[in-house]
Amino acid sequence: QDCADHRNKASFVLMEPEPKRARTAPGASNPAASTTPAVSVPAASEIVDLDIGGTRFRTSRATLRKSSFFAALLEHEGMEGGRTAEGAIFIDRCPTLFKDILEYLRTDLAPCVREGSMEADRFRSEFEFFGLDPEQIETWSEQIITARYHWTNFREDGVTPAIQRNLDDGWRVKKITSAGNGGDDDGTLVCSCILEMS
């Protein structure tokens, strides 16, 4: 079969990150004015203990003030709301999501989630609750395209126009995995083909 010409079914999974946006640091109105802060150890009075949904977090007041929610909370000493027996400020929100929100406040690196997923909706809700811009959340998209791939000597020698348009737009083949014999009369192989944007 070295010289046989096979037409294989391929399922193309396209994963494309959205175009990168200029990030706005949390709490900053002008991204260009943002500067990298000098590394320093906060004084004991600047350390804040949080209890988010039963999970403990420790951070600094400077970090929390990047969120309008925490800025308002810390502005009025003694009015932070409920505290635990250990003195941590208690906030009844999801600790798993808050871990990434706190990381965003510390580093300006927003969570990256699949567009349209439940996880994306949950992060947007949490960003809004804590007074952050949900547009800063990074998202990626996924498409699945099924088409016929043409092979000669088990090497690709042509693609359909639908696939070629994606290749012309910058997609590249990341991996092709054979899934065994297909059900066509010509004895084609069914392949799973993953494409990604470079």
Side-chain angles (χ1 to χ4, degrees):
Q1 295 183 350
D2 286 349
C3 297
D5 212 359
H6 294 289
R7 294 188 304 169
N8 295 337
K9 288 182 178 178
S11 180
F12 297 88
V13 180
L14 287 77
M15 301 177 62
E16 176 187 19
E18 288 188 348
K20 293 292 184 181
R21 299 182 298 271
R23 284 187 180 153
T24 302
S29 58
N30 183 2
S34 301
T35 57
T36 302
V39 176
S40 61
V41 178
S45 60
E46 287 295 304
I47 296 175
V48 179
D49 287 319
L50 302 172
D51 185 320
I52 309 296
T55 300
R56 294 290 296 271
F57 295 88
R58 173 169 286 187
T59 186
S60 68
R61 291 175 179 268
T63 295
L64 292 179
R65 288 191 186 104
K66 298 176 184 179
S67 153
S68 61
F69 172 88
F70 285 112
L73 199 65
L74 297 174
E75 184 178 356
H76 306 285
E77 293 293 337
M79 297 179 62
E80 296 94 342
R83 285 183 177 268
T84 65
E86 294 79 15
I89 300 173
F90 177 76
I91 300 172
D92 193 15
R93 305 298 289 189
C94 175
T96 302
L97 299 177
F98 185 76
K99 175 176 67 68
D100 289 316
I101 290 173
L102 183 57
E103 186 68 14
Y104 171 58
L105 294 175
R106 287 169 171 162
T107 65
D108 299 347
L109 297 176
C112 184
V113 295
R114 183 168 64 85
E115 182 63 40
S117 65
M118 183 179 295
E119 185 183 25
D121 292 339
R122 293 177 68 192
F123 267 116
R124 288 191 178 94
S125 176
E126 293 302 289
F127 263 58
E128 291 172 354
F129 178 87
F130 289 108
L132 301 170
D133 181 8
E135 292 301 315
Q136 296 304 309
I137 299 172
E138 298 286 344
T139 58
W140 55 272
S141 301
E142 179 179 275
Q143 307 178 56
I144 298 178
I145 298 178
T146 301
R148 287 191 176 276
Y149 235 61
H150 302 275
W151 300 83
T152 300
N153 295 335
F154 299 100
R155 296 176 63 86
E156 171 199 341
D157 66 1
V159 294
T160 63
I163 299 300
Q164 188 61 54
R165 282 194 295 271
N166 287 282
L167 297 178
D168 292 342
D169 288 340
W171 296 95
R172 65 184 179 87
V173 176
K174 179 180 180 182
K175 184 178 181 181
I176 300 176
T177 304
S178 174
N181 291 327
D184 293 344
D185 293 336
D186 58 3
T188 61
L189 293 175
V190 179
C191 297
S192 175
C193 186
I194 300 175
L195 275 67
E196 68 175 6
M197 179 67 76
S198 54

